[in-house]
Amino acid sequence: KNQVEQSPQSLIILEGKNCTLQCNYTVSPFSNLRWYKQDTGRGPVSLTIMTFSENTKSNGRYTATLDADTKQSSLHITASQLSDSASYICVVSASGNTGKLIFGQGTTLQVKP
Amino acid sequence: DAGVIQSPRHEVTEMGQEVTLRCKPISGHDYLFWYRQTMMRGLELLIYFNNNVPIDDSGMPEDRFSAKMPNASFSTLKIQPSEPRDSAVYFCASSPLVLDSYLSKNGYTFGSGTRLTVV
């Protein structure tokens, strides 16, 4: 069964600290993996997208890694800011011309001053 | 571009009433998706359209749910009759192409969602 699992479920950190969110998936055949940021009351917004051949991709203070062998991905946030408080969702797409994405449950991050 | 536009932003209705959610995709996007998000189940795909034609509705929970896309710029998701367990945030998303090569460079664009509360 295609699944995406994220950990931790929630996380509280102090402003300026770094943190790492984890994503494990069992989607096959794998096409790409993306991380979305969802602010409260808003729709998800794409942060990064990685294909099978990409191991790391950065978007400002966000760096995503992908290990296709172990089927794991991480999202590292550097020098966190209050505006980073949001839910971070890992989404995996299977190969093929289809609109189906498999969503993780998300990690809720709270950055405190 | 105004992005994907959903209305209403919030809807509170009584059990048994009909509810209609609306979505205007980004102009030129051939694909439109309806998702439901709850705390328990996260984001779930309900149905998606390609060029106004429903392609996969396997995520629609039951016959009380129906979706239409009468033209390229408008879609509705209807619940009749509504039940308290339908309470959730319903998102619409659109995409110009659903090919792996496109998805590797771009993401879907989500609307801001409609928060539905059925009491």
Side-chain angles (χ1 to χ4, degrees):
Chain A
K1 181 181 178 182
N2 289 332
Q3 282 187 316
V4 176
E5 296 185 353
Q6 292 186 242
S7 62
Q9 188 173 17
S10 61
L11 183 62
I12 301 174
I13 61 174
L14 293 176
E15 185 179 13
K17 298 295 186 182
N18 304 335
C19 67
T20 300
L21 314 180
Q22 300 290 343
C23 174
N24 297 336
Y25 62 92
T26 58
V27 177
S28 181
F30 173 84
S31 173
N32 59 75
L33 182 147
R34 63 196 72 202
W35 284 91
Y36 278 90
K37 178 186 179 187
Q38 184 176 19
D39 292 313
T40 301
R42 308 291 296 178
V45 175
S46 181
L47 291 175
T48 65
I49 300 176
M50 288 185 294
T51 58
F52 184 90
S53 60
E54 296 174 298
N55 300 120
T56 184
K57 183 168 282 189
S58 293
N59 178 0
R61 293 180 297 101
Y62 300 100
T63 299
T65 65
L66 174 65
D67 186 334
D69 292 330
T70 61
K71 299 186 177 181
Q72 295 179 326
S73 176
S74 65
L75 180 68
H76 186 74
I77 304 175
T78 304
S80 61
Q81 299 176 358
L82 298 179
S83 60
D84 293 331
S85 297
S87 288
Y88 292 84
I89 304 170
C90 177
V91 185
V92 180
S93 175
S95 293
N97 187 13
T98 172
K100 284 192 173 181
L101 302 177
I102 298 106
F103 288 81
Q105 291 285 73
T107 292
T108 300
L109 173 66
Q110 186 176 359
V111 181
K112 291 192 169 182
Chain B
D1 197 320
V4 176
I5 300 173
Q6 290 187 246
S7 63
R9 286 298 309 274
H10 303 275
E11 177 79 38
V12 180
T13 190
E14 291 184 344
M15 182 174 63
Q17 296 298 307
E18 177 180 296
V19 176
T20 299
L21 312 181
R22 300 172 178 79
C23 175
K24 176 178 168 47
I26 291 174
S27 178
H29 281 196
D30 297 325
Y31 286 81
L32 182 141
F33 308 83
W34 281 101
Y35 289 88
R36 178 172 66 177
Q37 186 176 39
T38 61
M39 289 292 292
M40 291 295 294
R41 301 173 69 90
L43 272 160
E44 302 173 281
L45 177 65
L46 300 177
I47 184 172
Y48 78 93
F49 296 83
N50 178 21
N51 291 324
N52 313 338
V53 177
I55 302 300
D56 186 346
D57 65 354
S58 59
M60 297 286 262
E62 46 196 279
D63 292 344
R64 298 184 298 105
F65 286 70
S66 63
K68 293 183 179 180
M69 193 166 185
N71 57 63
S73 61
F74 183 66
S75 177
T76 60
L77 177 67
K78 185 177 294 185
I79 308 172
Q80 166 64 18
S82 59
E83 297 182 4
R85 59 194 170 112
D86 301 331
S87 296
V89 181
Y90 291 81
F91 286 102
C92 177
S94 71
S95 172
L97 282 173
V98 188
L99 294 173
D100 290 345
S101 59
Y102 176 80
L103 290 178
S104 66
K105 298 177 183 177
N106 300 277
Y108 289 23
T109 302
F110 282 84
S112 295
T114 295
R115 180 173 295 278
L116 174 65
T117 304
V118 183
V119 298

